[in-house]
Amino acid sequence: MAKKELRGRDKAAILLVSLGPEVAGLIYKQLDEGTIELLTLEIANLRKITPDVKLQVLKEAQELLMAKEFLSQGGVDYARSLLEQALGSERAQEILRRITASLQVRPFDFMRHTDAQQVLSFIQGEHPQTIALILSYLVPEQAAAIMGGLPANIQWDVTRRIATMDRITPEVLREVERVLERKLSSVLGQDFTIAGGIEAVVDIINRVDRGTERNIMEMLEEKDPDLAEEIKRRLFVFEDVIGLDDRSLQRVLREVDIKDLSLALKGATEELRQKFFKNMSKRASEMLVEDMQFMGPVRVRDVEEAQQKIVNVIRALEDAGEIVIARGGEEELIV
């Protein structure tokens, strides 16, 4: 099959075959029945694919995915800049034309790349109807963060207006968007990048030696107890248990309530579950699996609380010197 003969459906079929049955199966789950039927027929009719055609299809798919990722991160100009650096000006323009031809930019897209707190400060003085219009077009996570920061006497009104909002003419929508974009540009004045924050602190402390961590935390507990508590809560997360050696985990298990463990493991990966099962007796692990099966659906919040209890046990054992958690620069775990 020569490259010049390829249609879009040919490329899709070649891509699925090249990715293998497992990945193709995952992709199939996201498609409608008509598309699945069409692609299955194309795959069945595929003749011999030369290595250069296969490579070209994979390369094109990679470029398109790359372009869409850049677009989602920073818009058309950002995508064009990075694609030109990676692929050259001509190829970058070709890819962007293909993508943007069917790309419908949602209203208030300029706000999606602005920190929620900055948007919140910016729209505080706007009419509730304007705020409702903005939030209805933002992604739910960003809209929720902004809604949570609004005054209580405004939250209900904005919620009601979103719920009862019907249609708005494109002309009015564009005018509101144009005015707000100009106002936001004048307020911000420049681009902001996220620097620092609790996650940055946690990343650093997780990589220092235990003595340095203890000194930092003791000072924080004295100067800012709330911040110290928030940092401690994030320093060692439940997923980090996978890095504990077997003897340390066995020591932890002696202190953990079996009900908390069964609830915590409901939200764990299979790899992490097996880590626990391996360090328990066969009978104990079987009972734990039974508890999890009979438990039924559980709330994510309850799972997270149970996981945090186990993390607290691990931190307490480390503070008591009974186990040692490997940190940045440490090659051996001493127990």
Side-chain angles (χ1 to χ4, degrees), residues 19-290:
L19 292 175
E22 292 185 7
V23 176
L26 294 175
I27 295 174
Y28 260 33
K29 292 180 181 179
Q30 310 301 318
L31 305 176
D32 59 77
E33 291 184 2
T35 303
I36 292 175
E37 182 179 347
L38 178 64
L39 286 176
T40 301
L41 182 61
E42 292 297 327
I43 292 173
N45 290 329
L46 273 181
R47 290 169 291 185
K48 184 178 180 181
I49 306 170
T50 61
D52 61 320
V53 169
K54 177 180 176 181
L55 181 61
Q56 184 60 43
V57 169
L58 289 172
K59 181 181 178 182
E60 184 176 337
Q62 181 190 30
E63 291 173 349
L64 289 172
L65 289 173
M66 184 192 308
K68 289 184 178 180
E69 177 66 19
F70 292 159
L71 280 170
S72 66
Q73 290 177 6
V76 175
D77 291 337
Y78 176 79
R80 180 180 295 107
S81 174
L82 294 186
L83 287 172
E84 286 179 350
Q85 294 178 37
L87 307 173
S89 179
E90 185 177 343
R91 183 61 179 156
Q93 292 296 341
E94 178 187 344
I95 292 174
L96 282 176
R97 275 197 301 270
R98 291 178 56 186
I99 293 178
T100 56
S102 58
L103 180 66
Q104 181 180 2
V105 179
R106 286 171 57 83
F108 306 108
D109 185 65
F110 63 93
M111 287 190 181
R112 287 192 190 84
H113 307 295
T114 304
D115 181 74
Q117 289 303 313
Q118 291 177 336
V119 176
L120 177 62
S121 300
F122 166 70
I123 66 173
Q124 286 281 9
E126 297 293 334
H127 190 279
Q129 183 66 27
T130 302
I131 298 175
L133 182 63
I134 293 170
L135 296 190
S136 65
Y137 281 105
L138 298 180
V139 295
E141 293 78 10
Q142 187 182 22
I146 295 169
M147 179 74 81
L150 292 172
N153 64 321
I154 297 294
Q155 289 176 340
W156 74 269
D157 194 12
V158 171
T159 301
R160 177 181 62 84
R161 290 172 185 274
I162 294 175
T164 57
M165 191 177 296
D166 186 11
R167 296 180 182 180
I168 182 170
T169 64
E171 293 75 15
V172 172
L173 186 60
R174 280 195 294 269
E175 179 61 21
V176 172
E177 184 180 20
R178 184 184 62 80
V179 171
L180 291 177
E181 184 171 14
R182 187 173 64 246
K183 288 175 63 177
L184 181 60
S185 298
S186 65
V187 170
L188 296 181
Q190 57 182 321
D191 291 334
F192 289 85
T193 56
I194 297 175
I198 291 180
E199 290 301 331
V201 170
V202 170
D203 284 342
I204 294 171
I205 295 180
N206 265 329
R207 288 166 173 77
V208 302
D209 61 86
R210 180 59 171 152
T212 301
E213 178 196 330
R214 186 178 291 110
N215 291 337
I216 293 173
M217 296 308 301
E218 286 176 356
M219 289 298 297
L220 281 176
E221 286 168 357
E222 178 183 343
K223 303 293 184 181
D224 194 335
D226 291 339
L227 177 59
E229 183 60 32
E230 179 66 13
I231 291 174
K232 283 197 294 186
R233 190 178 69 82
R234 303 191 193 189
L235 275 177
F236 185 94
V237 296
F238 186 69
E239 289 74 15
D240 294 331
V241 171
I242 201 74
L244 289 180
D245 72 297
D246 291 345
R247 285 185 294 173
S248 294
L249 184 53
Q250 290 162 16
R251 178 68 186 88
V252 170
L253 285 169
R254 293 203 294 271
E255 303 294 329
V256 171
D257 187 299
I258 191 67
K259 292 182 179 179
D260 289 335
L261 182 58
S262 60
L263 187 56
L265 291 183
K266 285 283 286 188
T269 64
E270 183 60 28
E271 181 184 13
L272 188 51
R273 290 180 183 180
Q274 292 301 323
K275 173 82 172 181
F276 278 94
F277 295 156
K278 187 180 73 170
N279 286 282
M280 303 170 67
S281 67
K282 183 178 179 181
R283 178 56 183 156
S285 62
E286 289 174 349
M287 291 177 61
L288 183 60
V289 171
E290 290 179 2

